[in-house]
């Protein structure tokens, strides 16, 4: 993950908001984005809940932009969902 961020440091933009909020998706122009990186909170008290929330974020992004490439980090491998197409999952 660190190598990925270093490689694309000049092309990465960070935004504050929610992918569950349609206004935020328009504001950051997710419809024009080529990729999105969702990073897990390794210090969260409920790892399964965090993984579930991140999977819901993937679904929200895919509903808004079907062409976007998503890199998703999960805390537990057991939470990997096979039905999320075109998504790279890091555990």
């Amino acid at each position: 993950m660190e190598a990925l961020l270093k490689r694309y440091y000049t092309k990465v933009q960070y935004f504050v908001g929610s992918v569950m909020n349609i206004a935020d998706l328009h504001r950051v122009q997710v419809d024009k984005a080529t990729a999105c990186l969702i990073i897990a909170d390794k210090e969260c008290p409920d790892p399964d809940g965090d993984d579930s929330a991140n999977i819901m974020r993937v679904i929200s992004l895919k509903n808004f932009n079907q062409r976007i490439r998503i890199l998703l980090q999960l805390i537990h491998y057991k939470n990997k969902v096979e039905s999320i197409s075109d998504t790279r999952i890091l555990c």
Side-chain angles (χ1 to χ4, degrees):
M1 184 69 67
E2 189 175 328
L4 180 70
L5 291 174
K6 284 182 181 178
R7 181 176 177 189
Y8 294 104
Y9 178 75
T10 59
K11 296 181 180 186
V12 174
Q13 295 179 339
Y14 297 92
F15 297 101
V16 176
S18 172
V19 296
M20 306 303 275
N21 183 330
I22 194 82
D24 286 342
L25 293 173
H26 283 292
R27 179 176 56 87
V28 300
Q29 300 178 340
V30 170
D31 56 325
K32 297 178 183 176
T34 55
C36 180
L37 177 64
I38 299 175
I39 302 172
D41 179 4
K42 294 180 182 180
E43 303 297 323
C44 72
D46 180 17
D48 289 329
D50 189 60
D51 283 350
S52 295
N54 285 339
I55 290 168
M56 291 303 295
R57 289 178 180 104
V58 170
I59 293 168
S60 177
L61 286 165
K62 283 294 191 178
N63 284 338
F64 193 78
N65 179 353
Q66 295 176 358
R67 299 175 320 275
I68 194 168
R69 180 176 180 209
I70 300 175
L71 298 159
L72 169 64
Q73 182 183 36
L74 295 176
I75 298 171
H76 294 300
Y77 181 80
K78 68 178 182 174
N79 294 325
K80 182 179 176 184
V81 178
E82 297 296 333
S83 63
I84 302 175
S85 62
D86 301 331
T87 302
R88 301 252 180 190
I89 300 176
L90 311 169
C91 298

